[in-house]
Amino acid sequence: MHDNQRKISRLSSILQGLSADFFKNHTSFKPGIITVTGLDVTPDKSHAIVWVSLINIDYELFEKRVVELQKKLRKYISENQNFRYTPDIQIRVDNSSEDIIKINKLLQE
């Protein structure tokens, strides 16, 4: 593994852990749950996409708050990790778990 790929992998792991903690302890979508399913970092490490799965959360409500959440998450990361530069954060919904549930229901019919 090249040095830059190793740095990106390590950064991704740190960001994923901080993002999971942020959604668990610093957001309120009760009784719903937000799970971080993945994280992608650009090769220059300036942008990161946080992939989340929503359980019992209205998608439209989440989308209305996503810009606010992105800003709060970036601030949370910069306050809890000593990076030279904190990447810009985008939050995107990962619908793969919903697709799996739909497929399983179809297979059971």
Side-chain angles (χ1 to χ4, degrees):
M1 188 181 277
H2 298 321
D3 191 44
N4 195 45
Q5 288 175 325
R6 192 173 13 258
K7 287 178 183 178
I8 289 172
S9 177
R10 186 166 180 263
L11 175 62
S12 178
S13 177
I14 292 168
L15 292 175
Q16 188 165 351
L18 287 169
S19 298
D21 183 62
F22 172 78
F23 286 115
K24 180 180 177 188
N25 298 311
H26 302 285
T27 59
S28 59
F29 286 95
K30 304 291 183 212
I33 299 170
I34 300 174
T35 305
V36 177
T37 60
L39 202 132
D40 296 324
V41 178
T42 58
D44 65 358
K45 301 183 273 301
S46 64
H47 300 283
I49 299 173
V50 179
W51 293 95
V52 297
S53 175
L54 307 177
I55 301 168
N56 294 329
I57 296 174
D58 180 39
Y59 180 80
E60 280 95 29
L61 173 66
F62 183 80
E63 283 298 311
K64 286 179 185 175
R65 293 188 52 201
V66 77
V67 172
E68 169 195 352
L69 288 170
Q70 289 172 164
K71 290 177 185 177
K72 287 182 176 182
L73 176 56
R74 186 168 192 254
K75 183 177 179 186
Y76 178 79
I77 290 168
S78 68
E79 290 173 349
N80 288 283
Q81 193 66 39
N82 190 19
F83 291 139
R84 214 178 288 157
Y85 177 78
T86 301
D88 289 325
I89 302 293
Q90 288 186 356
I91 299 171
R92 297 204 182 142
V93 176
D94 179 1
N95 293 319
S96 62
S97 60
E98 289 177 17
D99 294 341
I100 291 169
I101 291 169
K102 288 178 187 175
I103 291 169
N104 284 335
K105 284 183 181 179
L106 288 172
L107 291 173
Q108 290 175 358
E109 291 178 357

